[in-house]
Amino acid sequence: MNDLRITVNGEPRTAAPGTTVAALVAALGMEAARVAVERNQDVVPRRTWTEALLGDGDQVEIVAFVGGGSGQPPVGGGSGQPPGGGDDPLVIGGRTFRSRLLVGTGKYATIEQGREAILRSGAEIVTVALRRVDMTPGKPNVLDTIDRKRHTLLPNTAGCYTAEEAIRAARLGREVGLSNWVKLEVLGDEQTLWPDNGELLAATRTLVAEGFVVFPYTSDDPIVARKLEEAGAAAVMPLGAPIGSGLGIRNPANIRIILESVSCPVIVDAGVGTASDATFAMELGVDGVLMNTAIAGAQDPVAMARAMKLAVEAGRLAGKAGRIGKKLYATASSPISGVPDWSTS
């Protein structure tokens, strides 16, 4: 009997008749627990791999998490201590966290640098992207940088340009990570990486109906933010500026209006360049900040991670404390009454 002609991650291959998905994954030397498989655009549930026979002409995608910005989220805070710790916890997606800084895992020079920066940031939620498996034997995986007892993994759909693509990516992310959390990205074009809000809404509605906890990356449009909440989003994540631009918060008024328009958590996602940007975002009243490039792209990512941790904490405290009003002219800090008569005449 002739061999089967199949395509794996875009490359033509052959397989013996009777080959199962489990056998294919093993033959490719992949760690089964860290990958998900899609056949002809349908996810193959892991529990069926040993019985799922490949057919002639099958299109197979084998994906895993890579650095970007999975596993059943651990109970309680990411530190492994009981939930609800701290005076001002972040409650999001039905879970409680101490840190209001969320970070990505991409763009670091080495796995070791990424691991140390994530730890220094104090972040408990970290994002990862889904990509085709690199079939190079022994190549490190981004999951090697993350302590699964300390951190909650948030798979994202980075690189998707339609609702259909994002939905497929989310389903694969759930399959490989056993988590129903997803940071939903549906981009409009490659140059601006601006979200396509129509496709984003469509994907949100579908994924919420399928039991996903959806965190959509959106523009700073208050109307869209409200519609996303109505569609069942667990939080809305408006950009501060285009992804990776480092421009800071370009439209603070829009962020303030979004805060008045929705009751779910608001996380500023994208555009932060340095610690003062993160502080400013938190002073506006948002519930948290998500970033990757601002840390990983810094000259000293580990130091910047620490700076961002402190910046988010300071911004939250200052926002809750309430700043003084702005005035055109000076107001003396010391009392005017009781000043001695310094005149000599």
Side-chain angles (χ1 to χ4, degrees):
M1 187 178 293
N2 294 332
D3 284 345
L4 304 174
R5 293 167 297 176
I6 62 176
T7 303
V8 180
N9 288 0
E11 298 180 3
R13 288 179 175 266
T14 59
T19 299
T20 63
V21 168
L24 175 65
V25 170
L28 292 172
M30 298 176 184
E31 188 176 344
R34 290 191 172 186
V35 301
V37 179
E38 184 184 68
R39 180 179 56 182
N40 303 326
Q41 298 191 3
D42 288 324
V43 174
V44 183
R46 192 180 309 276
R47 65 181 181 277
T48 69
W49 283 10
T50 55
E51 293 84 30
L53 294 172
L54 296 174
D56 193 53
D58 276 354
Q59 304 280 328
V60 179
E61 294 285 344
I62 304 178
V63 300
F65 289 127
V66 301
S70 60
Q72 184 63 31
V75 176
S79 64
Q81 298 177 8
D87 296 329
D88 186 32
L90 169 64
V91 180
I92 187 169
R95 306 231 5 259
T96 301
F97 300 90
R98 292 173 177 79
S99 174
R100 292 176 177 271
L101 174 61
L102 295 71
V103 298
T105 49
K107 302 183 179 181
Y108 289 103
T110 64
I111 281 181
E112 292 74 22
Q113 184 188 71
R115 180 187 296 115
E116 184 63 20
I118 291 168
L119 288 174
R120 292 292 184 92
S121 75
E124 296 168 284
I125 301 174
V126 296
T127 66
V128 288
L130 199 69
R131 292 292 183 269
R132 284 175 168 172
V133 168
D134 186 332
M135 291 184 268
T136 305
K139 183 157 185 179
N141 185 282
V142 70
L143 295 183
D144 297 328
T145 71
I146 300 168
D147 182 347
R148 301 287 288 276
K149 295 180 180 180
R150 184 184 295 266
H151 299 112
T152 293
L153 291 161
L154 178 60
N156 71 35
T157 62
C160 294
Y161 289 85
T162 67
E164 180 183 3
E165 291 175 359
I167 291 165
R168 287 174 58 193
R171 289 168 178 165
L172 281 166
R174 178 164 61 181
E175 178 66 20
V176 72
L178 306 179
S179 171
N180 63 346
W181 280 32
V182 60
K183 179 193 169 190
L184 184 61
E185 296 183 23
V186 188
L187 304 176
D189 62 65
E190 295 182 4
Q191 181 177 15
T192 66
L193 301 182
W194 205 263
D196 183 328
N197 289 325
E199 293 290 291
L200 181 68
L201 277 165
T204 298
R205 293 187 180 107
T206 296
L207 292 173
V208 168
E210 293 184 8
F212 282 88
V213 180
V214 182
F215 301 82
Y217 159 71
T218 181
S219 65
D220 55 4
D221 183 333
I223 305 303
V224 173
R226 189 177 67 218
K227 289 182 177 180
L228 287 167
E229 182 181 35
E230 291 170 353
V236 293
M237 306 179 76
L239 53 78
I243 293 174
S245 67
L247 291 172
I249 311 302
R250 307 311 297 166
N251 295 305
N254 285 32
I255 301 297
R256 288 193 176 102
I257 296 172
I258 288 174
L259 288 165
E260 294 178 359
S261 302
V262 301
S263 57
C264 65
V266 176
I267 309 292
V268 165
D269 179 10
V272 168
T274 190
S276 58
D277 297 332
T279 299
F280 180 52
M282 295 303 298
E283 287 178 343
L284 290 174
V286 302
D287 297 279
V289 180
L290 193 157
M291 65 184 73
N292 185 180
T293 306
I295 295 176
Q299 294 183 31
D300 186 340
V302 174
M304 184 61 80
R306 174 67 173 165
M308 290 299 186
K309 176 183 186 295
L310 298 173
V312 167
E313 293 174 355
R316 179 67 177 177
L317 285 171
K320 291 182 67 178
R323 63 159 294 135
I324 64 171
K326 296 181 180 181
K327 300 177 181 179
L328 183 60
Y329 297 104
T331 301
S333 299
S334 301
I336 299 300
S337 59
V339 174
D341 183 1
W342 303 117
S343 62
T344 57
S345 56

PDB file of all heavy atoms in Angstrom, residues 176-204:
ATOM      1  N   VAL A 176      -3.462  22.967  23.937  1.00  0.00           N
ATOM      2  CA  VAL A 176      -2.080  22.749  24.366  1.00  0.00           C
ATOM      3  C   VAL A 176      -1.872  23.145  25.817  1.00  0.00           C
ATOM      4  O   VAL A 176      -1.042  22.553  26.515  1.00  0.00           O
ATOM      5  CB  VAL A 176      -1.088  23.511  23.463  1.00  0.00           C
ATOM      6  CG1 VAL A 176      -1.126  24.991  23.692  1.00  0.00           C
ATOM      7  CG2 VAL A 176       0.328  22.991  23.665  1.00  0.00           C
ATOM      8  N   GLY A 177      -2.650  24.113  26.297  1.00  0.00           N
ATOM      9  CA  GLY A 177      -2.404  24.614  27.639  1.00  0.00           C
ATOM     10  C   GLY A 177      -3.412  24.206  28.674  1.00  0.00           C
ATOM     11  O   GLY A 177      -3.229  24.466  29.851  1.00  0.00           O
ATOM     12  N   LEU A 178      -4.512  23.580  28.260  1.00  0.00           N
ATOM     13  CA  LEU A 178      -5.553  23.162  29.191  1.00  0.00           C
ATOM     14  C   LEU A 178      -6.127  24.343  29.959  1.00  0.00           C
ATOM     15  O   LEU A 178      -6.515  24.217  31.110  1.00  0.00           O
ATOM     16  CB  LEU A 178      -5.018  22.099  30.160  1.00  0.00           C
ATOM     17  CG  LEU A 178      -4.382  20.871  29.512  1.00  0.00           C
ATOM     18  CD1 LEU A 178      -3.868  19.921  30.578  1.00  0.00           C
ATOM     19  CD2 LEU A 178      -5.346  20.166  28.588  1.00  0.00           C
ATOM     20  N   SER A 179      -6.144  25.511  29.331  1.00  0.00           N
ATOM     21  CA  SER A 179      -6.687  26.713  29.962  1.00  0.00           C
ATOM     22  C   SER A 179      -7.707  27.340  29.030  1.00  0.00           C
ATOM     23  O   SER A 179      -7.547  27.315  27.808  1.00  0.00           O
ATOM     24  CB  SER A 179      -5.579  27.733  30.247  1.00  0.00           C
ATOM     25  OG  SER A 179      -6.137  28.965  30.663  1.00  0.00           O
ATOM     26  N   ASN A 180      -8.755  27.914  29.601  1.00  0.00           N
ATOM     27  CA  ASN A 180      -9.758  28.585  28.773  1.00  0.00           C
ATOM     28  C   ASN A 180      -9.577  30.104  28.773  1.00  0.00           C
ATOM     29  O   ASN A 180     -10.449  30.828  28.319  1.00  0.00           O
ATOM     30  CB  ASN A 180     -11.171  28.227  29.236  1.00  0.00           C
ATOM     31  CG  ASN A 180     -11.456  28.695  30.662  1.00  0.00           C
ATOM     32  OD1 ASN A 180     -10.547  29.050  31.412  1.00  0.00           O
ATOM     33  ND2 ASN A 180     -12.718  28.683  31.049  1.00  0.00           N
ATOM     34  N   TRP A 181      -8.440  30.575  29.268  1.00  0.00           N
ATOM     35  CA  TRP A 181      -8.132  32.002  29.194  1.00  0.00           C
ATOM     36  C   TRP A 181      -7.510  32.315  27.841  1.00  0.00           C
ATOM     37  O   TRP A 181      -6.713  31.533  27.316  1.00  0.00           O
ATOM     38  CB  TRP A 181      -7.146  32.391  30.291  1.00  0.00           C
ATOM     39  CG  TRP A 181      -7.770  32.595  31.640  1.00  0.00           C
ATOM     40  CD1 TRP A 181      -8.854  31.953  32.155  1.00  0.00           C
ATOM     41  CD2 TRP A 181      -7.329  33.491  32.656  1.00  0.00           C
ATOM     42  NE1 TRP A 181      -9.109  32.383  33.420  1.00  0.00           N
ATOM     43  CE2 TRP A 181      -8.191  33.335  33.748  1.00  0.00           C
ATOM     44  CE3 TRP A 181      -6.280  34.398  32.740  1.00  0.00           C
ATOM     45  CZ2 TRP A 181      -8.040  34.069  34.929  1.00  0.00           C
ATOM     46  CZ3 TRP A 181      -6.122  35.122  33.916  1.00  0.00           C
ATOM     47  CH2 TRP A 181      -7.001  34.963  34.992  1.00  0.00           C
ATOM     48  N   VAL A 182      -7.825  33.478  27.279  1.00  0.00           N
ATOM     49  CA  VAL A 182      -7.194  33.883  26.025  1.00  0.00           C
ATOM     50  C   VAL A 182      -7.141  35.398  25.929  1.00  0.00           C
ATOM     51  O   VAL A 182      -8.122  36.090  26.204  1.00  0.00           O
ATOM     52  CB  VAL A 182      -7.941  33.301  24.800  1.00  0.00           C
ATOM     53  CG1 VAL A 182      -9.393  33.769  24.735  1.00  0.00           C
ATOM     54  CG2 VAL A 182      -7.214  33.643  23.502  1.00  0.00           C
ATOM     55  N   LYS A 183      -5.958  35.902  25.595  1.00  0.00           N
ATOM     56  CA  LYS A 183      -5.834  37.301  25.222  1.00  0.00           C
ATOM     57  C   LYS A 183      -6.121  37.359  23.725  1.00  0.00           C
ATOM     58  O   LYS A 183      -5.359  36.851  22.905  1.00  0.00           O
ATOM     59  CB  LYS A 183      -4.434  37.833  25.511  1.00  0.00           C
ATOM     60  CG  LYS A 183      -4.272  39.300  25.094  1.00  0.00           C
ATOM     61  CD  LYS A 183      -2.824  39.732  25.078  1.00  0.00           C
ATOM     62  CE  LYS A 183      -2.716  41.094  24.404  1.00  0.00           C
ATOM     63  NZ  LYS A 183      -1.316  41.485  24.145  1.00  0.00           N
ATOM     64  N   LEU A 184      -7.224  37.986  23.381  1.00  0.00           N
ATOM     65  CA  LEU A 184      -7.724  37.940  22.007  1.00  0.00           C
ATOM     66  C   LEU A 184      -7.216  39.131  21.210  1.00  0.00           C
ATOM     67  O   LEU A 184      -7.519  40.282  21.524  1.00  0.00           O
ATOM     68  CB  LEU A 184      -9.250  37.926  22.021  1.00  0.00           C
ATOM     69  CG  LEU A 184      -9.945  37.794  20.673  1.00  0.00           C
ATOM     70  CD1 LEU A 184      -9.565  36.497  19.980  1.00  0.00           C
ATOM     71  CD2 LEU A 184     -11.457  37.892  20.841  1.00  0.00           C
ATOM     72  N   GLU A 185      -6.418  38.834  20.180  1.00  0.00           N
ATOM     73  CA  GLU A 185      -5.941  39.852  19.248  1.00  0.00           C
ATOM     74  C   GLU A 185      -6.434  39.503  17.846  1.00  0.00           C
ATOM     75  O   GLU A 185      -6.223  38.384  17.379  1.00  0.00           O
ATOM     76  CB  GLU A 185      -4.409  39.919  19.238  1.00  0.00           C
ATOM     77  CG  GLU A 185      -3.793  40.341  20.557  1.00  0.00           C
ATOM     78  CD  GLU A 185      -2.274  40.465  20.465  1.00  0.00           C
ATOM     79  OE1 GLU A 185      -1.773  40.655  19.337  1.00  0.00           O
ATOM     80  OE2 GLU A 185      -1.609  40.365  21.508  1.00  0.00           O
ATOM     81  N   VAL A 186      -7.100  40.464  17.202  1.00  0.00           N
ATOM     82  CA  VAL A 186      -7.455  40.344  15.791  1.00  0.00           C
ATOM     83  C   VAL A 186      -6.997  41.646  15.134  1.00  0.00           C
ATOM     84  O   VAL A 186      -7.596  42.704  15.357  1.00  0.00           O
ATOM     85  CB  VAL A 186      -8.968  40.135  15.575  1.00  0.00           C
ATOM     86  CG1 VAL A 186      -9.236  39.824  14.103  1.00  0.00           C
ATOM     87  CG2 VAL A 186      -9.501  39.013  16.458  1.00  0.00           C
ATOM     88  N   LEU A 187      -5.933  41.564  14.367  1.00  0.00           N
ATOM     89  CA  LEU A 187      -5.283  42.761  13.845  1.00  0.00           C
ATOM     90  C   LEU A 187      -5.870  43.189  12.501  1.00  0.00           C
ATOM     91  O   LEU A 187      -6.359  42.361  11.723  1.00  0.00           O
ATOM     92  CB  LEU A 187      -3.780  42.519  13.715  1.00  0.00           C
ATOM     93  CG  LEU A 187      -3.083  42.071  15.006  1.00  0.00           C
ATOM     94  CD1 LEU A 187      -1.622  41.773  14.736  1.00  0.00           C
ATOM     95  CD2 LEU A 187      -3.236  43.116  16.099  1.00  0.00           C
ATOM     96  N   GLY A 188      -5.759  44.501  12.241  1.00  0.00           N
ATOM     97  CA  GLY A 188      -6.297  45.042  11.005  1.00  0.00           C
ATOM     98  C   GLY A 188      -5.306  45.075   9.867  1.00  0.00           C
ATOM     99  O   GLY A 188      -5.682  44.884   8.703  1.00  0.00           O
ATOM    100  N   ASP A 189      -4.040  45.335  10.158  1.00  0.00           N
ATOM    101  CA  ASP A 189      -3.005  45.319   9.128  1.00  0.00           C
ATOM    102  C   ASP A 189      -1.640  45.141   9.780  1.00  0.00           C
ATOM    103  O   ASP A 189      -1.478  45.314  10.988  1.00  0.00           O
ATOM    104  CB  ASP A 189      -3.029  46.584   8.259  1.00  0.00           C
ATOM    105  CG  ASP A 189      -2.750  47.852   9.056  1.00  0.00           C
ATOM    106  OD1 ASP A 189      -1.617  47.987   9.573  1.00  0.00           O
ATOM    107  OD2 ASP A 189      -3.634  48.710   9.167  1.00  0.00           O
ATOM    108  N   GLU A 190      -0.649  44.801   8.947  1.00  0.00           N
ATOM    109  CA  GLU A 190       0.673  44.491   9.460  1.00  0.00           C
ATOM    110  C   GLU A 190       1.478  45.727   9.831  1.00  0.00           C
ATOM    111  O   GLU A 190       2.416  45.645  10.617  1.00  0.00           O
ATOM    112  CB  GLU A 190       1.450  43.675   8.426  1.00  0.00           C
ATOM    113  CG  GLU A 190       0.842  42.304   8.152  1.00  0.00           C
ATOM    114  CD  GLU A 190       1.658  41.494   7.165  1.00  0.00           C
ATOM    115  OE1 GLU A 190       2.743  41.980   6.760  1.00  0.00           O
ATOM    116  OE2 GLU A 190       1.226  40.392   6.797  1.00  0.00           O
ATOM    117  N   GLN A 191       1.151  46.879   9.259  1.00  0.00           N
ATOM    118  CA  GLN A 191       1.947  48.081   9.511  1.00  0.00           C
ATOM    119  C   GLN A 191       1.619  48.704  10.861  1.00  0.00           C
ATOM    120  O   GLN A 191       2.515  49.033  11.638  1.00  0.00           O
ATOM    121  CB  GLN A 191       1.743  49.113   8.401  1.00  0.00           C
ATOM    122  CG  GLN A 191       2.576  50.377   8.595  1.00  0.00           C
ATOM    123  CD  GLN A 191       2.431  51.359   7.451  1.00  0.00           C
ATOM    124  OE1 GLN A 191       1.509  51.244   6.635  1.00  0.00           O
ATOM    125  NE2 GLN A 191       3.324  52.324   7.359  1.00  0.00           N
ATOM    126  N   THR A 192       0.341  48.881  11.156  1.00  0.00           N
ATOM    127  CA  THR A 192      -0.042  49.543  12.399  1.00  0.00           C
ATOM    128  C   THR A 192      -0.312  48.569  13.537  1.00  0.00           C
ATOM    129  O   THR A 192      -0.262  48.950  14.701  1.00  0.00           O
ATOM    130  CB  THR A 192      -1.316  50.379  12.191  1.00  0.00           C
ATOM    131  OG1 THR A 192      -2.428  49.502  11.914  1.00  0.00           O
ATOM    132  CG2 THR A 192      -1.153  51.360  11.040  1.00  0.00           C
ATOM    133  N   LEU A 193      -0.594  47.301  13.204  1.00  0.00           N
ATOM    134  CA  LEU A 193      -1.019  46.309  14.192  1.00  0.00           C
ATOM    135  C   LEU A 193      -2.211  46.807  15.002  1.00  0.00           C
ATOM    136  O   LEU A 193      -2.404  46.419  16.159  1.00  0.00           O
ATOM    137  CB  LEU A 193       0.148  45.926  15.116  1.00  0.00           C
ATOM    138  CG  LEU A 193       1.377  45.332  14.424  1.00  0.00           C
ATOM    139  CD1 LEU A 193       2.437  44.960  15.460  1.00  0.00           C
ATOM    140  CD2 LEU A 193       1.018  44.128  13.575  1.00  0.00           C
ATOM    141  N   TRP A 194      -2.992  47.672  14.369  1.00  0.00           N
ATOM    142  CA  TRP A 194      -4.198  48.195  15.018  1.00  0.00           C
ATOM    143  C   TRP A 194      -5.271  47.115  15.017  1.00  0.00           C
ATOM    144  O   TRP A 194      -5.401  46.361  14.049  1.00  0.00           O
ATOM    145  CB  TRP A 194      -4.686  49.418  14.238  1.00  0.00           C
ATOM    146  CG  TRP A 194      -5.505  50.376  15.042  1.00  0.00           C
ATOM    147  CD1 TRP A 194      -6.862  50.445  15.090  1.00  0.00           C
ATOM    148  CD2 TRP A 194      -5.034  51.423  15.891  1.00  0.00           C
ATOM    149  NE1 TRP A 194      -7.269  51.454  15.927  1.00  0.00           N
ATOM    150  CE2 TRP A 194      -6.159  52.074  16.433  1.00  0.00           C
ATOM    151  CE3 TRP A 194      -3.768  51.869  16.255  1.00  0.00           C
ATOM    152  CZ2 TRP A 194      -6.060  53.148  17.304  1.00  0.00           C
ATOM    153  CZ3 TRP A 194      -3.661  52.931  17.128  1.00  0.00           C
ATOM    154  CH2 TRP A 194      -4.789  53.565  17.641  1.00  0.00           C
ATOM    155  N   PRO A 195      -6.054  47.004  16.074  1.00  0.00           N
ATOM    156  CA  PRO A 195      -7.074  45.953  16.095  1.00  0.00           C
ATOM    157  C   PRO A 195      -8.200  46.202  15.102  1.00  0.00           C
ATOM    158  O   PRO A 195      -8.588  47.346  14.853  1.00  0.00           O
ATOM    159  CB  PRO A 195      -7.595  46.001  17.538  1.00  0.00           C
ATOM    160  CG  PRO A 195      -7.231  47.349  18.051  1.00  0.00           C
ATOM    161  CD  PRO A 195      -5.992  47.759  17.336  1.00  0.00           C
ATOM    162  N   ASP A 196      -8.716  45.122  14.518  1.00  0.00           N
ATOM    163  CA  ASP A 196      -9.920  45.164  13.683  1.00  0.00           C
ATOM    164  C   ASP A 196     -11.092  44.904  14.614  1.00  0.00           C
ATOM    165  O   ASP A 196     -11.394  43.759  14.961  1.00  0.00           O
ATOM    166  CB  ASP A 196      -9.830  44.094  12.589  1.00  0.00           C
ATOM    167  CG  ASP A 196     -11.019  44.120  11.637  1.00  0.00           C
ATOM    168  OD1 ASP A 196     -12.131  44.466  12.080  1.00  0.00           O
ATOM    169  OD2 ASP A 196     -10.837  43.789  10.451  1.00  0.00           O
ATOM    170  N   ASN A 197     -11.756  45.961  15.038  1.00  0.00           N
ATOM    171  CA  ASN A 197     -12.743  45.823  16.099  1.00  0.00           C
ATOM    172  C   ASN A 197     -13.987  45.039  15.693  1.00  0.00           C
ATOM    173  O   ASN A 197     -14.615  44.396  16.533  1.00  0.00           O
ATOM    174  CB  ASN A 197     -13.134  47.212  16.618  1.00  0.00           C
ATOM    175  CG  ASN A 197     -12.018  47.860  17.422  1.00  0.00           C
ATOM    176  OD1 ASN A 197     -11.284  47.183  18.122  1.00  0.00           O
ATOM    177  ND2 ASN A 197     -11.880  49.174  17.318  1.00  0.00           N
ATOM    178  N   GLY A 198     -14.355  45.086  14.405  1.00  0.00           N
ATOM    179  CA  GLY A 198     -15.491  44.289  13.959  1.00  0.00           C
ATOM    180  C   GLY A 198     -15.214  42.806  14.095  1.00  0.00           C
ATOM    181  O   GLY A 198     -16.036  42.039  14.643  1.00  0.00           O
ATOM    182  N   GLU A 199     -14.045  42.367  13.614  1.00  0.00           N
ATOM    183  CA  GLU A 199     -13.656  40.965  13.733  1.00  0.00           C
ATOM    184  C   GLU A 199     -13.434  40.585  15.199  1.00  0.00           C
ATOM    185  O   GLU A 199     -13.728  39.469  15.621  1.00  0.00           O
ATOM    186  CB  GLU A 199     -12.391  40.699  12.916  1.00  0.00           C
ATOM    187  CG  GLU A 199     -12.571  40.833  11.416  1.00  0.00           C
ATOM    188  CD  GLU A 199     -13.417  39.716  10.834  1.00  0.00           C
ATOM    189  OE1 GLU A 199     -12.965  38.564  10.810  1.00  0.00           O
ATOM    190  OE2 GLU A 199     -14.566  40.010  10.414  1.00  0.00           O
ATOM    191  N   LEU A 200     -12.899  41.534  15.968  1.00  0.00           N
ATOM    192  CA  LEU A 200     -12.658  41.295  17.390  1.00  0.00           C
ATOM    193  C   LEU A 200     -13.954  41.000  18.127  1.00  0.00           C
ATOM    194  O   LEU A 200     -14.044  40.067  18.937  1.00  0.00           O
ATOM    195  CB  LEU A 200     -11.963  42.513  18.002  1.00  0.00           C
ATOM    196  CG  LEU A 200     -11.602  42.427  19.490  1.00  0.00           C
ATOM    197  CD1 LEU A 200     -10.516  41.387  19.717  1.00  0.00           C
ATOM    198  CD2 LEU A 200     -11.136  43.795  20.001  1.00  0.00           C
ATOM    199  N   LEU A 201     -14.991  41.787  17.858  1.00  0.00           N
ATOM    200  CA  LEU A 201     -16.286  41.564  18.495  1.00  0.00           C
ATOM    201  C   LEU A 201     -16.866  40.215  18.105  1.00  0.00           C
ATOM    202  O   LEU A 201     -17.406  39.486  18.946  1.00  0.00           O
ATOM    203  CB  LEU A 201     -17.247  42.684  18.115  1.00  0.00           C
ATOM    204  CG  LEU A 201     -17.155  43.971  18.936  1.00  0.00           C
ATOM    205  CD1 LEU A 201     -17.875  45.117  18.237  1.00  0.00           C
ATOM    206  CD2 LEU A 201     -17.755  43.745  20.326  1.00  0.00           C
ATOM    207  N   ALA A 202     -16.761  39.878  16.826  1.00  0.00           N
ATOM    208  CA  ALA A 202     -17.296  38.595  16.367  1.00  0.00           C
ATOM    209  C   ALA A 202     -16.586  37.436  17.064  1.00  0.00           C
ATOM    210  O   ALA A 202     -17.223  36.475  17.517  1.00  0.00           O
ATOM    211  CB  ALA A 202     -17.151  38.480  14.851  1.00  0.00           C
ATOM    212  N   ALA A 203     -15.258  37.517  17.154  1.00  0.00           N
ATOM    213  CA  ALA A 203     -14.498  36.452  17.804  1.00  0.00           C
ATOM    214  C   ALA A 203     -14.819  36.375  19.291  1.00  0.00           C
ATOM    215  O   ALA A 203     -14.915  35.276  19.860  1.00  0.00           O
ATOM    216  CB  ALA A 203     -13.007  36.682  17.601  1.00  0.00           C
ATOM    217  N   THR A 204     -14.975  37.532  19.933  1.00  0.00           N
ATOM    218  CA  THR A 204     -15.304  37.554  21.359  1.00  0.00           C
ATOM    219  C   THR A 204     -16.620  36.835  21.624  1.00  0.00           C
ATOM    220  O   THR A 204     -16.719  36.000  22.536  1.00  0.00           O
ATOM    221  CB  THR A 204     -15.384  39.000  21.875  1.00  0.00           C
ATOM    222  OG1 THR A 204     -14.111  39.633  21.724  1.00  0.00           O
ATOM    223  CG2 THR A 204     -15.788  39.037  23.338  1.00  0.00           C
TER     224      THR A 204
END
